[in-house]
Amino acid sequence: MHRTDGINKRALFSDETAEYRCPMEPEAGDEVLIRFRTAARDADSVCLLEAESLNEIKLILVERDDVFDYYETRIRLSEAHFAYCFRVVKDTETCWYNKTGASDSPGWEFAFRIAPGFSTPDWAKGAIMYQIFVDRFRNGSSKNDTRDGEYVYVNGQPVHHVENWYQYPEPLDVNNFYGGDLQGVLEKLDYIKGLGVEAIYFNPLFVSPSNHKYDIQDYDYIDPHFGMIINDMDKSVSAGGENREAERYITRVTDKVNLEASNAFFAELVEAAHEKGMKVILDGVFNHCGSYNKWMDRERIYENQEGYQKGAYISYDSPYREFFKFTGGQWPYNNHYDGWWGYETLPKLNYEESRELYEYIMEIGRKWVSPPYNVDGWRLDVAADLGHSEVFNHQFWRDFRKAVKDAKPDALILAEHYGDPGSWLDGDQWDTVMNYDAFMEPLTWFLTGMEKHSDERHDEYYGDGELFFQIMFRQMSRFHVQSLQVAMNELSNHDHSRFLTRTNRMAGRTGTLGPEAAETGIKKGVLRMAVVVQMTWPGAPTIYYGDEAGLCGWTDPDNRRGYPWGREDLELIEFHKYLTRIRKSNPALKTGSIKPLLADRNLICYGRFKGDNRLAVVLNNSEKEQQVQIPVWEIGVAPETFMVRIMQTAYNSYNSGRLAIPVKDGMLTVDIPPESSMIFREMENVV
């Protein structure tokens, strides 16, 4: 197995999964078993070094087979975090090992870490998720459609109902409504379940004037345009009109009959999803609200409605005035307030000066994970921006976590975040993040060379296998393993271009190149490779609605096209189903270890392994066939056995048939066609 005179660094391995740290999510006071692997008879000593004290603990050799030695030690945890790395000595050579692998120094920045008491929901570990932007998923009921001229929105323009479901989104699309609703989702739960989905993540559902609903109007209620409209009016608003005259809109979103009916319908939807074995995650926009919000009421929608108090824009005496930071001006109708990034349509919530607001949002966090709604988690929009200081931000999320977890201990809390999330992921705030830096971005660079908005192309990143692994593992080192296993691994979403469009390697947006260009020169073979990685990488693979059906689109708003019902790429849907089945039937793919095996120009190969379940994944991103020798011995595959190819993709097709290939001296030799990927699994019950 490629013996060397010095330490065989390819054989060294440890990580934070349950195979190498038990228990994986320990409590303070627990005794923890830590394991480390070397090549057989290849070390004079293996020590664990504690980062804080530099205390050395010698590991004991406890097991040996034909290929590896296994060392163990046990430590007793206090309440403090525990960080460590390993040191291996052979003769005069010393090697260190941290979360990025073998190293010539301890590399404390990449140390293994234990946060006593930190656990994430078991149901979310490795779970397959599905993101739905509701207005564009499916129109199940025309009764709740937004009507032409129902109210005015951006620049005083009337909102518009789009009659042609397949119409491309316009460059300024926020006034346009396609009519997707929760009834449409309910009617397609079997379709979603059939994809292998285990959790649905909804973009915001609460009352809001926009189609994206990130400018929330009322946190207590599901928008009746997504839910149920029982009481209605006829009067709409013409261009240049004022929303205080929009009787239809006011009735729809303030009438408690409509609001309560919409909440009740949502509760039924969640129950139906649960009955099919799927969890539900809501989008929480708590950094800011919208200028339509009942607490601000800049549009004077609530000003004269029974049962509502005066908004902060309306009156100095409003009970909500301290919910916002006013910067001068005078009442009534004071428009001098702090907006997020200066946007007056997005008033920033002023938690520091209003304990009432603080407690209100804590109650919102509890409310929706509790009966009768029983949702299973929160996705937190621009979570690092909340508050006016870093200290306050962290305290808010500590309190939010406690409020939500007290109400539902296995609720998932994941945040939108770019950059190092480490200070929020130490067990007392978020469970995890939308995984841009340790998944979407590096994979996009390797397979397309494109930035995730399709705004730029960088050929120097394209096809660099070594850089791919370097970035991935450095970024993954910022996570505790329980955070990594529930991280939302997306190829596309509502904020970035569709991955299939990125495969054309064109820089542009719908306003510059036009929507048709997003479908030009695309490579479904590259998308298939991306999905193979998505379904075999640590984390929670999350399908953005329509990706599985071949939907294209530039970045926001073109990425929010209507799901192509009746025009789906049925072969691509079946491909997704095969891969979700492969993921769910192999424990190593959900919660197992990962190890890079090969990296070259336009080539990556990695292994996933847990117990006797061992798989290897290889991608050839070039236009030429490559023959590779994969060192599958590194993931514990027997030196002389067989591995079975269980999936192969190509530039124009895929093959899910089984093909046995021999392993010789721990190496798997295969020819990889151009723009293709393969998944291999060690054959079971080989005699």
Side-chain angles (χ1 to χ4, degrees):
M1 244 65 68
H2 300 272
R3 304 292 181 187
T4 63
D5 293 333
I7 297 171
N8 186 344
K9 296 179 180 178
R10 304 288 307 225
L12 303 181
F13 190 78
S14 187
D15 66 8
E16 297 175 338
T17 67
E19 296 282 301
Y20 287 86
R21 189 174 84 193
C22 185
M24 192 184 81
E25 298 172 312
E27 299 288 335
D30 281 355
E31 184 180 73
V32 180
L33 173 68
I34 296 176
R35 291 168 59 87
F36 189 83
R37 190 192 79 182
T38 71
R41 302 174 180 85
D42 198 44
D44 296 330
S45 67
V46 177
C47 290
L48 179 150
L49 270 72
E50 183 184 356
E52 187 70 22
S53 65
L54 298 182
N55 181 45
E56 293 190 16
I57 302 172
K58 186 174 182 179
L59 277 66
I60 306 300
L61 177 64
V62 296
E63 182 183 347
R64 172 174 290 160
D65 57 31
D66 292 338
V67 181
F68 299 115
D69 285 347
Y70 295 90
Y71 293 79
E72 292 182 356
T73 190
R74 295 177 183 272
I75 61 170
R76 180 74 65 180
L77 294 178
S78 66
E79 293 184 354
H81 288 202
F82 185 87
Y84 61 97
C85 69
F86 299 95
R87 186 181 66 193
V88 182
V89 176
K90 178 183 179 183
D91 298 327
T92 60
E93 184 180 2
T94 297
C95 179
W96 305 87
Y97 194 92
N98 57 40
K99 290 176 76 168
T100 62
S103 174
D104 57 5
S105 66
W108 292 118
E109 180 184 0
F110 309 113
F112 298 98
R113 293 177 294 140
I114 301 175
F118 181 23
S119 65
T120 59
D122 287 341
W123 65 262
K125 292 182 171 74
I128 298 164
M129 300 186 182
Y130 192 77
Q131 178 184 350
I132 298 179
F133 189 90
V134 177
D135 185 60
R136 307 298 161 83
F137 181 68
R138 188 168 189 271
N139 190 341
S141 172
S142 61
K143 294 179 180 179
N144 56 17
D145 288 356
T146 299
R147 307 299 181 187
D148 281 350
E150 184 175 321
Y151 56 101
V152 295
Y153 189 50
V154 174
N155 299 324
Q157 294 302 307
V159 294
H160 172 60
H161 174 68
V162 177
E163 296 295 338
N164 177 11
W165 180 262
Y166 306 104
Q167 176 181 306
Y168 293 124
E170 297 177 355
L172 184 60
D173 187 59
V174 289
N175 286 44
N176 293 331
F177 294 81
Y178 284 56
D181 52 32
L182 294 179
Q183 179 65 38
V185 176
L186 181 65
E187 293 172 359
K188 289 298 180 178
L189 284 182
D190 285 338
Y191 166 77
I192 298 168
K193 177 67 175 178
L195 288 173
V197 170
E198 296 162 292
I200 298 172
Y201 154 49
F202 286 108
N203 285 110
L205 301 178
F206 303 125
V207 180
S208 161
S210 64
N211 55 40
H212 56 71
K213 303 205 177 301
Y214 282 96
D215 48 354
I216 289 175
Q217 188 171 324
D218 191 336
Y219 292 92
D220 279 301
Y221 295 104
I222 302 298
D223 196 315
H225 296 88
F226 283 172
M228 304 288 288
I229 295 176
I230 309 299
N231 294 333
D232 209 355
M233 297 283 284
D234 290 331
K235 186 177 179 181
S236 296
V237 178
S238 59
E242 296 184 8
N243 282 324
R244 63 192 177 95
E245 301 170 352
E247 292 182 2
R248 167 173 276 163
Y249 182 72
I250 291 172
T251 299
R252 287 180 161 196
V253 300
T254 69
D255 188 294
K256 292 298 176 65
V257 172
N258 294 335
L259 297 171
E260 296 293 348
S262 296
N263 280 10
F265 183 76
F266 175 69
E268 293 174 10
L269 172 63
V270 175
E271 183 178 6
H274 286 169
E275 289 175 352
K276 295 182 184 297
M278 294 184 289
K279 305 289 187 179
V280 174
I281 299 169
L282 287 180
D283 208 323
V285 188
F286 302 132
N287 166 70
H288 57 272
C289 62
S291 57
Y292 286 61
N293 191 281
K294 63 184 179 183
W295 300 332
M296 175 64 76
D297 198 20
R298 180 170 174 142
E299 298 297 313
R300 301 173 64 183
I301 290 169
Y302 298 91
E303 184 176 10
N304 297 310
Q305 299 309 303
E306 185 177 348
Y308 294 93
Q309 301 194 65
K310 300 297 185 183
Y313 170 81
I314 305 295
S315 172
Y316 178 86
D317 296 323
S318 168
Y320 311 122
R321 180 169 56 84
E322 291 184 348
F323 285 22
F324 309 96
K325 184 180 285 294
F326 284 88
T327 57
Q330 58 186 8
W331 282 267
Y333 315 133
N334 187 347
N335 61 5
H336 292 78
Y337 53 83
D338 184 17
W340 183 57
W341 285 75
Y343 291 107
E344 62 182 19
T345 58
L346 301 175
K348 187 170 174 64
L349 293 171
N350 187 29
Y351 295 99
E352 286 91 334
E353 297 179 25
S354 176
R355 191 67 192 180
E356 182 181 354
L357 170 64
Y358 197 98
E359 294 300 334
Y360 196 108
I361 295 299
M362 296 298 152
E363 180 55 32
I364 290 295
R366 288 187 289 263
K367 170 180 176 174
W368 292 100
V369 301
S370 301
Y373 310 110
N374 298 311
V375 301
D376 302 286
W378 286 100
R379 178 265 189 189
L380 307 172
D381 186 61
V382 295
D385 286 8
L386 184 142
H388 294 94
S389 73
E390 184 176 342
V391 171
F392 182 88
N393 179 281
H394 287 297
Q395 186 58 53
F396 180 94
W397 293 125
R398 290 186 188 100
D399 292 344
F400 186 84
R401 179 184 185 84
K402 185 177 187 307
V404 171
K405 298 282 187 175
D406 283 351
K408 190 165 193 172
D410 69 343
L412 180 68
I413 299 175
L414 69 93
E416 177 191 24
H417 186 70
Y418 299 85
D420 185 353
S423 61
W424 288 274
L425 297 182
D426 269 339
D428 60 347
Q429 296 170 69
W430 311 334
D431 285 325
T432 193
V433 295
M434 302 180 78
N435 201 2
Y436 296 121
D437 294 337
F439 185 77
M440 182 192 282
E441 194 87 281
L443 184 59
T444 295
W445 288 128
F446 174 72
L447 288 176
T448 72
M450 298 301 298
E451 181 268 340
K452 58 186 175 290
H453 288 281
S454 289
D455 283 340
E456 300 174 352
R457 190 175 87 184
H458 290 265
D459 290 335
E460 66 271 25
Y461 300 151
Y462 180 45
D464 191 331
E466 291 186 0
L467 182 63
F468 168 80
F469 280 131
Q470 183 182 71
I471 295 174
M472 278 287 209
F473 278 81
R474 282 178 174 266
Q475 296 294 344
M476 288 194 300
S477 73
R478 309 302 190 221
F479 294 76
H480 291 278
V481 66
Q482 56 268 54
S483 286
L484 184 65
Q485 290 180 349
V486 298
M488 184 178 278
N489 289 349
E490 293 188 291
L491 298 174
S492 319
N493 64 22
H494 62 291
D495 282 329
H496 305 94
S497 60
R498 294 272 180 175
F499 187 89
L500 188 52
T501 288
R502 276 176 246 152
T503 67
N504 68 15
R505 308 196 64 226
M506 295 170 57
R509 296 197 173 203
T510 192
T512 57
L513 298 183
E516 295 85 355
E519 304 164 2
T520 302
I522 58 174
K523 293 184 175 182
K524 291 184 180 179
V526 176
L527 173 62
R528 291 188 192 96
M529 285 192 284
V531 177
V532 165
V533 177
Q534 182 184 40
M535 293 297 168
T536 59
W537 200 263
T542 304
I543 303 167
Y544 183 42
Y545 82 100
D547 269 9
E548 79 279 12
L551 209 56
C552 295
W554 300 110
T555 197
D556 170 19
D558 198 40
N559 53 17
R560 303 169 183 178
R561 298 182 182 187
Y563 182 99
W565 299 111
R567 304 180 181 182
E568 307 95 319
D569 186 323
L570 298 178
E571 184 181 61
L572 199 54
I573 291 174
E574 286 302 311
F575 172 70
H576 277 79
K577 290 180 179 181
Y578 273 115
L579 278 172
T580 58
R581 285 198 291 269
I582 287 172
R583 181 175 182 85
K584 294 167 79 170
S585 62
N586 288 279
L589 298 180
K590 292 180 76 84
T591 56
S593 300
I594 184 168
K595 191 177 193 300
L597 299 177
L598 285 175
D600 207 336
R601 188 68 199 165
N602 289 311
L603 179 73
I604 56 171
C605 179
Y606 55 91
R608 298 296 310 276
F609 50 106
K610 181 177 184 179
D612 295 332
N613 186 219
R614 305 179 182 98
L615 302 96
V617 182
V618 59
L619 276 70
N620 175 13
N621 194 34
S622 74
E623 296 180 354
K624 297 181 179 179
E625 180 176 279
Q626 298 194 59
Q627 184 179 86
V628 296
Q629 289 188 310
I630 304 171
V632 293
W633 66 269
E634 294 183 26
I635 59 173
V637 173
E640 309 295 329
T641 186
F642 285 85
M643 295 195 80
V644 179
R645 189 202 68 195
I646 57 176
M647 171 61 73
Q648 175 177 332
T649 73
Y651 72 94
N652 62 352
S653 64
Y654 70 94
N655 188 332
S656 58
R658 294 166 61 89
L659 178 66
I661 301 175
V663 175
K664 299 294 185 183
D665 194 27
M667 305 295 287
L668 179 70
T669 302
V670 292
D671 294 321
I672 312 295
E675 294 183 357
S676 68
S677 59
M678 295 180 178
I679 304 174
F680 301 92
R681 182 173 60 205
E682 185 175 16
M683 183 177 286
E684 300 172 359
N685 303 319
V686 176
V687 179

